[in-house]
């Protein structure tokens, strides 16, 4: 088990929302879902509802998530000690208008950022959704992960493809691990940039993906360790099989891709190169 799990157990895992590969039906009768951890005590449940901004649960389709379901879904990805023995974290999922993108907020989930969630959710195929996750105190959030899967499957009437589940979970975990070395914001931008290249250029071979990782790291002025390169390579191998829509990636995770717009990409570097030549000539006179 990698070193990240030690930190996760102390600080709280953020895998709350990574897995869904389908979008909400436009004609869905119930457009707001509330997934509650089945092991919440009465006072804890009220705390979670307050943090989620839920005043009247009758306005939501309510789902309960058990610890057994957590293990059923997550044992393949996480150690049993990380998942824990109580389902506590909870989530609301609400359909929003076309073009609104995916918005994520968290309360008492201390490890992952909202950007990491958003990146993984978009990989899973979620569109136009407002997602909130909360715990009664700082906890792992694994019950909320299962809650999102259950909510989206009920909303759409479709099973979530295993490839999407695996890639989205892998993305969230990999981003968290890489963030330990380069920081959360750079990790979010790097994963998003490489993912865009893989989808846009239909990269499939290991060498193509490796070159994309190096190019993105250079463009963003990020120094990667060999171990982090390997993790990202493994993740992108999975993502290359999902046939992601590039325009959808940018639209649904607009906040992240707006940050990429400000990075020194290849055209910026070309412009800087010619500017440096001009400055050199000017200095001669």
């Amino acid at each position: 088990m990698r070193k990240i799990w030690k930190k996760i157990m102390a600080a709280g895992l953020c895998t709350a929302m990574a897995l869904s590969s389908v979008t909400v039906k436009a004609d869905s009768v119930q457009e707001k879902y509330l997934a509650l951890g089945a092991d919440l005590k009465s006072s804890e449940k009220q705390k979670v509802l307050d943090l989620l901004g839920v005043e009247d649960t009758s306005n939501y389709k309510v789902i309960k998530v058990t610890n057994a379901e957590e293990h059923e879904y997550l044992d393949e990805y996480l150690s049993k000690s990380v998942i824990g023995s109580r389902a506590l974290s909870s989530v609301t999922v609400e359909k929003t208008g076309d073009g609104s993108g995916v918005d994520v907020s968290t309360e008492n989930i201390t490890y992952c950022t909202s950007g990491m969630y958003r990146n993984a959710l978009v990989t899973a195929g979620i569109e136009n959704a407002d997602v909130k996750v909360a715990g009664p105190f700082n906890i792992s959030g694994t019950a909320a992960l299962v809650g999102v899967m259950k909510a989206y499957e009920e909303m759409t009437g479709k099973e979530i493809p295993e490839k999407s589940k695996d890639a989205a979970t892998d993305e969230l975990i990999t981003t968290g691990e890489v963030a330990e070395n380069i920081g959360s914001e750079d990790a979010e931008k790097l994963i998003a940039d490489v993912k865009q290249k893989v989808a846009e250029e239909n990269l499939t071979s290991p060498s193509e993906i490796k070159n994309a990782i190096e190019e993105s790291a250079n463009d963003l002025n990020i120094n990667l360790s060999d171990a982090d390169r390997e993790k990202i390579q493994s993740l992108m191998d999975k993502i290359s099989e999902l046939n992601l829509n590039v325009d959808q990636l940018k639209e649904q995770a607009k906040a992240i891709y707006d940050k990429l717009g400000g990075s020194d990409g290849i055209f910026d570097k070309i412009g800087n190169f010619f500017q440096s030549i001009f400055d050199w000539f000017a200095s001669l006179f």
Side-chain angles (χ1 to χ4, degrees), residues 1-2 5-6 8-9 13 70-71 74-85 142 173:
M1 187 65 63
R2 302 176 215 172
W5 299 126
K6 295 181 180 179
I8 288 174
M9 284 184 276
L13 179 68
E70 289 185 56
H71 285 279
L74 301 172
D75 276 352
E76 182 179 349
Y77 308 110
L78 308 173
S79 72
K80 287 179 169 57
S81 60
V82 172
I83 299 170
S85 59
T142 51
I173 293 171

Side-chain angles (χ1 to χ4, degrees), residues 126-173:
I126 295 177
E127 295 180 38
N128 305 316
D130 183 28
V131 178
K132 298 178 183 178
V133 60
F137 41 81
N138 291 340
I139 55 175
S140 70
T142 51
L145 168 61
V146 180
V148 172
M149 292 193 292
K150 292 183 70 173
Y152 268 83
E153 286 183 327
E154 287 206 24
M155 283 179 171
T156 62
K158 300 177 182 178
E159 293 186 5
I160 301 168
E162 289 300 323
K163 284 186 177 181
S164 296
K165 289 181 182 179
D166 185 52
T169 303
D170 194 347
E171 178 171 348
L172 197 65
I173 293 171

Side-chain angles (χ1 to χ4, degrees), residues 38-219:
D39 297 314
L40 288 168
K41 298 176 182 177
S42 179
S43 59
E44 293 172 339
K45 176 182 175 182
Q46 188 56 54
K47 174 70 172 180
V48 164
L49 292 176
D50 290 342
L51 291 173
L52 292 173
V54 176
E55 297 181 359
D56 185 355
T57 57
S58 66
N59 294 325
Y60 294 79
K61 170 74 174 185
V62 180
I63 299 170
K64 289 290 181 72
V65 180
T66 67
N67 186 247
E69 288 175 313
E70 289 185 56
H71 285 279
E72 177 186 351
Y73 279 93
L74 301 172
D75 276 352
E76 182 179 349
Y77 308 110
L78 308 173
S79 72
K80 287 179 169 57
S81 60
V82 172
I83 299 170
S85 59
R86 297 179 67 203
L88 298 174
S89 56
S90 304
V91 59
T92 58
V93 183
E94 182 174 356
K95 181 183 179 298
T96 54
D98 290 345
S100 61
V102 176
D103 186 62
V104 181
S105 61
T106 65
E107 295 284 352
N108 288 339
I109 303 297
T110 60
Y111 186 72
C112 277
T113 65
S114 60
M116 292 179 191
Y117 282 124
R118 190 183 298 112
N119 248 344
L121 287 168
V122 173
T123 293
I126 295 177
E127 295 180 38
N128 305 316
D130 183 28
V131 178
K132 298 178 183 178
V133 60
F137 41 81
N138 291 340
I139 55 175
S140 70
T142 51
L145 168 61
V146 180
V148 172
M149 292 193 292
K150 292 183 70 173
Y152 268 83
E153 286 183 327
E154 287 206 24
M155 283 179 171
T156 62
K158 300 177 182 178
E159 293 186 5
I160 301 168
E162 289 300 323
K163 284 186 177 181
S164 296
K165 289 181 182 179
D166 185 52
T169 303
D170 194 347
E171 178 171 348
L172 197 65
I173 293 171
T174 296
T175 306
E177 291 178 330
V178 173
E180 286 197 319
N181 298 320
I182 66 175
S184 296
E185 184 169 338
D186 279 349
E188 291 171 21
K189 291 193 295 185
L190 177 62
I191 297 299
D193 198 46
V194 178
K195 182 166 60 176
Q196 179 181 335
K197 286 182 172 66
V198 169
E200 194 166 38
E201 301 171 28
N202 194 28
L203 306 181
T204 56
S205 74
S207 60
E208 290 175 330
I209 294 174
K210 180 180 179 180
N211 290 336
I213 295 169
E214 292 301 317
E215 182 180 339
S216 292
N218 289 334
D219 287 348

Side-chain angles (χ1 to χ4, degrees), residues 193 196-197 200-201 211-212 214-221 260-275:
D193 198 46
Q196 179 181 335
K197 286 182 172 66
E200 194 166 38
E201 301 171 28
N211 290 336
E214 292 301 317
E215 182 180 339
S216 292
N218 289 334
D219 287 348
L220 295 169
N221 297 315
L260 287 174
S263 64
D264 288 336
I266 185 63
F267 293 110
D268 294 316
K269 291 182 177 180
I270 292 172
N272 292 338
F273 172 72
F274 283 110
Q275 182 63 47

